[in-house]
Amino acid sequence: MNKKYRKAIIAGNWKMNLLPSQVKPYAEELRNLMPKSKTCEVALCVPFTHISTLRRSLKDNRIAIGAQDVSLYEKGAYTGEISAEMLADLNVNYVIVGHSECRQYHGDTDIDVGRKAAALLEKGMSPIICVGESLDQRERGLTVDHIRYQVLAAMSSIPEEKVRQCVIAYEPIWAIGTGKTATPEEAQEVCETIRAVIRSKSGARTARSVSILYGGSMNSSNAFELLSMPDIDGGLIGGASLKPSEFSKIIGAVAEVTGEEQK
Ligand code: 13P
């Protein structure tokens, strides 16, 4: 984590969990528990049905609002889809694109991911672009090549001047929801590669300002070690974001790493 050049971000991804009626009590509990931090941005990426309630429950802007996907299309006859403009109208700040679950269950390709990210940037939101290798790819030594390909493919649709508003999340598929985390060194190696890819495409200034997150079984016990790595600027947290007590401890780990005083 390098707070001089880029934001630390702890984002919860609720996936398809918790009910709309649970949003308000969750938000109240989290607001009471979470440490005040000047250096860490906290975001909650909730189901579309929860966004308005979350916005009303937060009262101030200490927590940013996130969504978990967006349509490839702008508007019109796309039953069941949610457009970038609709999310912008709800003042959404971050939107996850290319999560491995969307790639697996909805068939999102690397090109789709780039187009979705571009549509979000156009409407003033930051995409959280997810990349990650399967266990088979890791075991065959293909991790770095695969990640390089995924990042470049997504970036190919993004205008150069908007690259610095992107967030990249490295989520090894084998670590998601399994309780197996990448070691800090494994995660750092890939996050360093991601930054090098951005550097080669968009230059050093842009590369050093893009926040790169790690996701995959991150919790309050392993967050400090992962966040201590120089190219890991935060976390995208699934299961451990569902309980405010656990999620706030992960937010606290950022303050520990950066040496910020906790209040
Ligand atoms: P878990 O933290 O539950 O492994 O999920 C990670 C993830 O997929 C976040 O997007």
Side-chain angles (χ1 to χ4, degrees):
M1 177 169 289
N2 183 334
K3 65 175 176 163
K4 185 163 165 210
Y5 295 117
R6 46 194 180 257
K7 258 192 292 196
I9 301 172
I10 297 293
N13 175 9
W14 283 9
K15 309 192 180 184
M16 198 168 71
N17 292 298
L18 302 183
L19 298 172
S21 57
Q22 294 176 295
V23 169
K24 193 165 178 248
Y26 177 104
E28 273 166 17
E29 196 179 339
L30 182 61
R31 278 161 44 83
N32 288 335
L33 290 174
M34 72 183 238
K36 286 201 177 72
S37 167
K38 288 198 184 76
T39 50
C40 178
E41 171 124 331
V42 177
L44 286 173
C45 300
V46 297
F48 297 128
T49 43
H50 300 32
I51 291 173
S52 294
T53 313
L54 181 61
R55 166 70 60 211
R56 279 196 304 276
S57 307
L58 290 176
K59 299 189 179 91
D60 56 30
N61 54 9
R62 277 176 65 204
I63 299 174
I65 313 261
Q68 299 172 12
D69 198 8
V70 66
S71 177
L72 266 177
Y73 307 104
E74 230 177 285
K75 59 154 63 177
Y78 299 100
T79 301
E81 306 243 343
I82 307 285
S83 71
E85 193 175 17
M86 291 172 184
L87 296 175
D89 198 54
L90 290 174
N91 297 316
V92 164
N93 311 99
Y94 292 99
V95 182
I96 297 171
V97 290
H99 194 283
S100 60
E101 289 148 16
C102 296
R103 294 174 189 261
Q104 182 182 352
Y105 300 123
H106 308 156
D108 283 6
T109 65
D110 289 306
I111 298 299
D112 295 339
V113 173
R115 286 177 53 202
K116 288 181 175 190
L120 293 164
L121 289 161
E122 166 81 27
K123 299 290 175 204
M125 293 170 284
S126 285
I128 302 179
I129 301 169
C130 298
V131 296
E133 81 288 1
S134 65
L135 186 57
D136 180 57
Q137 285 168 320
R138 175 156 285 271
E139 284 173 352
R140 289 196 288 144
L142 300 175
T143 300
V144 164
D145 283 348
H146 177 68
I147 299 295
R148 201 174 277 139
Y149 174 80
Q150 283 191 314
V151 174
L152 281 175
M155 290 289 160
S156 67
S157 303
I158 296 173
E160 207 47 64
E161 73 280 5
K162 301 235 155 105
V163 172
R164 61 179 59 218
Q165 287 153 41
C166 295
V167 177
I168 314 278
Y170 168 52
E171 299 209 310
I173 297 170
W174 49 270
I176 295 176
T178 57
K180 283 187 210 147
T181 352
T183 64
E185 293 73 22
E186 284 169 336
Q188 164 60 24
E189 185 195 11
V190 177
C191 292
E192 198 178 335
T193 299
I194 294 171
R195 202 174 305 286
V197 171
I198 301 171
R199 189 180 305 117
S200 66
K201 191 183 167 291
S202 306
R205 276 175 158 238
T206 299
R208 77 180 182 204
S209 62
V210 170
S211 297
I212 301 177
L213 317 183
Y214 169 80
S217 299
M218 198 192 247
N219 57 40
S220 61
S221 314
N222 57 32
F224 177 82
E225 279 198 311
L226 286 158
L227 296 171
S228 299
M229 294 288 128
D231 287 294
I232 302 180
D233 306 308
L236 184 55
I237 327 287
S241 73
L242 298 174
K243 287 205 180 98
S245 54
E246 179 69 7
F247 192 49
S248 61
K249 283 188 198 145
I250 300 176
I251 299 166
V254 172
E256 262 182 78
V257 172
T258 57
E260 190 182 20
E261 235 175 84
Q262 292 191 44
K263 289 170 206 134

